[in-house]
């Protein structure tokens, strides 16, 4: 399969994040993607390409998923941050105040102009540093997702969007969880717009794909399924529970499979089987897999215990669903093992796809 990688990803390099009451070095670092690229050169899956997506097509695609106001905010955020204080050029922007949605507590529609307030309106955590290069990097990453979608629409069995920064926590007009633009949602929407009547998103990152869920929550044409650490104890805490099944026309088109911290491959695989049954029953014509590798036992901020060889089996199992499949790169913070784990999963997929699939 072809891999589309982001030539501008390293422009987004956060210095620090707020983590459990302390400022710590960012976990989501450029080296993550470099390890995956190095492993892909060692164990090639196919061509490594930079995406070629025109400006106009990219703008149009971004507006299918995110609001114009949010995109404008991201585009000008760094400039506005430095305008507050020239010394801000030496530090990343992190929010420190948020408008909670409680009745009569705060005006969600307040005509705020100060950058600190606007940052709080568009961010849901203080773990996602916005840097001088965040917009350029996120935008180019979104281009990878679109290029991969085109590849699948042209008939490819699989495609890999090696996106960084990741995307699955980003919603219509907010960022968080290291994510600014929702690459998986952009890919799913591009597949829909390109003629796939029904698309399924199966998120295997350790953390619930809250942004993707929210974006498609009332949609009957895109199924969203997520296997993740139980939000009762795990980030992002406020979404990802089993009783969230979609709403309106999208009722029944969302499935969350939360698992307790400490879960191993056996319990995880059972949840994967359940997820794939849902994808099959939905009648999806294409599958998008937000591929997080933070389910790995050695991950420093997560709590499942999958091992390297398990990812081969995960890839094989995903291939047996028999669907054209697009992978986006999401979390995974055991940086040195990240390349091997990611390529294991993709190689497993390739092997499973080559071995022939019964389909469904
Ligand atoms: Zn994650």
């Amino acid at each position: 399969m072809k891999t589309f990688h982001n030539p501008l990803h390293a422009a987004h390099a956060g210095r620090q994040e707020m983590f459990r009451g302390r400022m710590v070095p960012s976990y989501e670092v450029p080296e993550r993607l470099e390890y995956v690229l190095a492993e892909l050169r060692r164990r090639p899956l196919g061509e490594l390409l930079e995406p070629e997506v025109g400006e106009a097509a990219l703008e149009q695609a971004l507006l299918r998923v995110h609001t114009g106001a949010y995109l404008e905010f991201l585009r000008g955020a760094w400039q506005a941050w430095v305008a507050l204080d020239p010394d801000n050029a030496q530090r990343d922007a992190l929010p420190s105040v948020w408008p909670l949605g409680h009745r009569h507590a705060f005006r969600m529609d307040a005509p705020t102009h100060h950058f600190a307030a606007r940052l709080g309106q568009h961010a849901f955590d203080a773990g996602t540093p916005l840097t001088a290069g965040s917009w350029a990097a996120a935008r180019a990453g979104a281009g990878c997702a679109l290029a991969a979608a085109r590849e699948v629409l042209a008939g490819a069995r699989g495609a890999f969007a090696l996106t960084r920064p990741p995307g699955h926590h980003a919603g219509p007009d907010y960022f968080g969880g290291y994510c600014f633009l929702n690459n998986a949602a952009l890919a799913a929407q591009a597949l829909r717009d390109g003629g796939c009547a029904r698309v399924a998103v199966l998120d295997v990152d350790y953390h619930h794909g809250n942004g993707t869920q929210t974006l498609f929550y009332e949609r009957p044409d895109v199924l969203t399924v997520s296997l993740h650490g139980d939000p009762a104890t795990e980030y992002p805490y406020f979404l990802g529970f089993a009783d969230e099944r979609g709403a309106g026309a999208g009722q029944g088109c969302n499935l969350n499979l939360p698992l307790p911290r400490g879960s191993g491959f056996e319990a995880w695989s059972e949840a994967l089987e359940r997820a794939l049954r849902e994808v099959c029953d939905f009648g999806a014509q294409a599958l998008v897999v937000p591929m997080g590798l933070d389910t790995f036992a050695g991950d420093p901020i997560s709590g499942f215990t999958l091992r390297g060889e398990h990812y081969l089996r995960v890839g094989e199992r995903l291939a047996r669903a028999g669907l054209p499949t697009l992978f986006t790169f999401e979390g995974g913070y055991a940086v040195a093992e990240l390349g091997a784990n990611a390529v294991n999963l993709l190689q497993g997929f390739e092997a499973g796809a080559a071995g022939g699939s019964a389909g469904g």
Side-chain angles (χ1 to χ4, degrees):
M1 79 172 77
K2 286 181 186 168
T3 295
F4 298 90
H5 70 92
N6 178 358
L8 299 182
H9 81 93
H12 174 67
R15 295 169 174 90
Q16 287 187 304
E17 63 179 77
M18 177 68 83
F19 185 73
R20 297 174 188 160
R22 287 183 302 139
M23 291 306 291
V24 302
S26 288
Y27 285 100
E28 203 288 293
V29 291
E31 290 74 21
R32 298 177 59 249
L33 188 142
E34 297 302 328
Y35 271 96
V36 179
L37 274 181
E39 190 70 11
L40 283 170
R41 291 194 176 104
R42 211 170 67 80
R43 290 194 283 158
L45 295 168
E47 283 180 274
L48 273 170
L49 302 163
E50 293 180 5
E52 287 177 19
V53 177
E55 290 291 305
L58 183 55
E59 281 303 312
Q60 209 173 23
L62 290 174
L63 284 166
R64 297 285 285 145
V65 167
H66 296 287
T67 67
Y70 175 59
L71 296 171
E72 279 312 305
F73 167 80
L74 284 182
R75 199 186 310 273
W78 182 255
Q79 209 178 4
W81 169 243
V82 176
L84 281 184
D85 176 351
D87 286 349
N88 278 354
Q90 306 309 316
R91 43 185 174 259
D92 303 337
L94 283 177
S96 54
V97 60
W98 290 270
L100 287 178
H102 298 297
R103 200 166 142 79
H104 302 311
F106 291 101
R107 285 275 303 275
M108 301 306 282
D109 63 339
T112 50
H113 296 293
H114 195 279
F115 182 73
R118 295 178 65 216
L119 190 57
Q121 284 177 327
H122 290 297
F124 67 86
D125 67 29
T128 310
L130 199 155
T131 75
S134 296
W135 169 245
R139 212 165 169 282
C144 295
L146 289 183
R150 287 180 183 174
E151 175 73 4
V152 167
L153 287 168
R157 176 73 165 85
F160 180 32
L162 180 45
T163 44
R164 182 187 166 275
H168 73 148
H169 293 301
D173 61 353
Y174 50 86
F175 69 93
Y178 313 146
C179 304
F180 297 91
L181 299 173
N182 195 313
N183 303 309
L186 286 160
Q189 185 62 50
L191 291 169
R192 279 288 296 108
D193 292 342
C196 291
R198 297 188 141 219
V199 175
V201 181
L202 171 47
D203 190 318
V204 298
D205 188 277
Y206 178 76
H207 304 96
H208 174 243
N210 63 290
T212 321
Q213 169 172 318
T214 298
L215 281 160
F216 296 114
Y217 206 58
E218 297 191 14
R219 294 263 299 263
D221 54 333
V222 178
L223 172 74
T224 45
V225 183
S226 182
L227 277 68
H228 50 265
D230 190 339
T233 61
E234 307 305 304
Y235 184 93
Y237 304 112
F238 303 114
L239 206 66
F241 297 92
D243 62 352
E244 298 155 11
R245 291 306 315 264
Q251 183 65 45
C253 297
N254 184 73
L255 177 66
N256 286 327
L257 298 166
L259 294 164
R261 189 178 185 85
S263 293
F265 186 58
E266 200 176 327
W268 194 92
S269 296
E270 280 174 28
L272 181 64
E273 292 302 323
R274 169 86 177 82
L276 286 168
R277 273 200 305 279
E278 192 84 0
V279 169
C280 179
D281 291 348
F282 180 70
Q285 293 169 355
L287 180 63
V288 175
V289 178
M291 187 181 82
L293 288 310
D294 42 7
T295 49
F296 179 58
D299 196 273
I301 59 171
S302 307
F304 290 164
T305 61
L306 273 64
R307 297 192 307 272
E309 66 272 21
H310 290 145
Y311 294 107
L312 282 164
R313 290 162 62 187
V314 173
E316 283 168 16
R317 183 63 191 93
L318 289 170
R320 287 210 306 279
L323 292 169
T325 302
L326 187 161
F327 298 88
T328 59
F329 187 54
E330 304 290 344
Y333 307 98
V335 178
E337 290 89 356
L338 192 51
N341 290 340
V343 177
N344 274 0
L345 196 152
L346 297 167
Q347 218 167 45
F349 178 87
E350 294 279 69
S357 168

